[in-house]
Amino acid sequence: MFEFENMRYKDILFIEQLTIHQGEFTCIVGESGGGKTTLLRLLNKMISPTEGNIYYHKQRLEQCPSVAHRMDVSLLSQQPVMFEGTIKDNLLYAVRLFQKDDVSDEELSDLLTQLKVKKKLSDDASLCSGGEKQRIALGRILLKKSSVLLLDEPSSALDEKTEDLLLQIVSQYAKDHEVSVILVTHSSEVASKYGQRIIRIESGRVIR
């Protein structure tokens, strides 16, 4: 799926050769500041390599149209972004931004139930708890129906119970829809529990 070929980003990350396979739940672990988040930003085309190449399904990533790529490869950051408005507005933000078919209120309510968010679609999103906001942000990218989910320590600010709930939702969704997941986590326990493959990055390099 993703292939790296002598890829360097400034003095932060250098990956001589690496393949991330389609259909797997891949966990990226390593020390803070080691380049894990930079890796996800490269995969999402938020930044571009200084040297070398990244390929996505055999096509050089720099040649992939950015908007279409971000529709197919979605990134959930550590801090959930809530836009002004209702929970419904927030769930539909990406769908409308990328001009996807609208989603019915029934489907959105079902999604909230799956996400264990006990709120109404009409509720003000800014009044939700941190855990609810993170699950709503997750719901927003799930509605895009992307092929790849990039998760940058999405549970870092959550308690263990809420963290496990969020990752269970992601794991089940990935199985049900044959979606690839690339999760950055500081937790070896999380990586061991959910990762079908674990990649360790230290000081900007992949440790095998």
Side-chain angles (χ1 to χ4, degrees):
M1 180 175 64
F2 284 108
E3 295 178 70
F4 292 75
E5 183 181 82
N6 296 318
M7 193 288 307
R8 182 184 299 275
Y9 180 73
K10 298 182 178 180
D11 60 351
I12 298 173
L13 190 64
F14 175 66
I15 300 178
E16 187 175 6
Q17 189 174 26
L18 175 68
T19 299
I20 299 177
H21 300 288
Q22 184 174 356
E24 288 189 346
F25 196 125
T26 302
C27 289
I28 311 293
V29 300
E31 60 192 11
S32 179
K36 302 188 302 297
T37 295
T38 298
L39 175 61
L40 292 193
R41 288 165 60 85
L42 285 162
L43 297 181
N44 191 239
K45 289 199 69 176
M46 294 179 68
I47 54 177
S48 300
T50 308
E51 300 175 14
N53 294 300
I54 302 173
Y55 296 89
Y56 181 55
H57 294 302
K58 305 299 182 181
Q59 182 178 8
R60 287 176 64 184
L61 198 52
E62 63 183 46
Q63 296 175 342
C64 298
S66 296
V67 173
H69 181 73
R70 292 185 188 127
M71 188 67 210
D72 196 46
V73 181
S74 292
L75 173 63
L76 180 64
S77 62
Q78 292 184 31
Q79 300 299 325
V81 176
M82 288 292 106
F83 302 100
E84 186 176 348
T86 65
I87 290 175
K88 177 179 177 178
D89 293 331
N90 273 268
L91 286 172
L92 292 178
Y93 182 84
V95 172
R96 291 168 175 169
L97 180 66
F98 290 96
Q99 299 180 331
K100 299 280 283 187
D101 293 337
D102 216 341
V103 184
S104 70
D105 284 1
E106 183 178 359
E107 291 176 279
L108 294 177
S109 295
D110 287 344
L111 178 60
L112 285 185
T113 300
Q114 292 173 7
L115 295 170
K116 303 295 191 293
V117 176
K118 297 178 181 179
K119 300 282 187 180
K120 297 178 182 178
L121 292 173
S122 57
D123 287 345
D124 188 338
S126 66
L127 300 180
C128 293
S129 69
E132 288 170 336
K133 288 178 179 178
Q134 190 64 291
R135 279 172 277 162
I136 291 167
L138 172 61
R140 186 165 58 219
I141 70 169
L142 296 184
L143 287 170
K144 288 168 63 182
K145 298 181 180 179
S146 302
S147 300
V148 183
L149 303 180
L150 308 175
L151 310 179
D152 187 9
E153 300 203 57
S155 54
S156 60
L158 307 179
D159 59 70
E160 288 186 13
K161 184 177 179 180
T162 307
E163 172 189 49
D164 197 53
L165 170 62
L166 185 144
L167 292 176
Q168 283 180 29
I169 293 168
V170 171
S171 180
Q172 190 60 53
Y173 178 87
K175 292 174 183 175
D176 292 345
H177 297 85
E178 298 182 342
V179 168
S180 306
V181 179
I182 302 173
L183 169 70
V184 162
T185 178
H186 65 281
S187 171
S188 297
E189 291 182 10
V190 166
S192 296
K193 182 174 182 178
Y194 290 99
Q196 293 172 282
R197 184 187 181 196
I198 299 174
I199 298 171
R200 179 170 295 278
I201 294 180
E202 293 182 7
S203 302
R205 290 177 178 267
V206 173
I207 305 300
R208 300 186 183 281

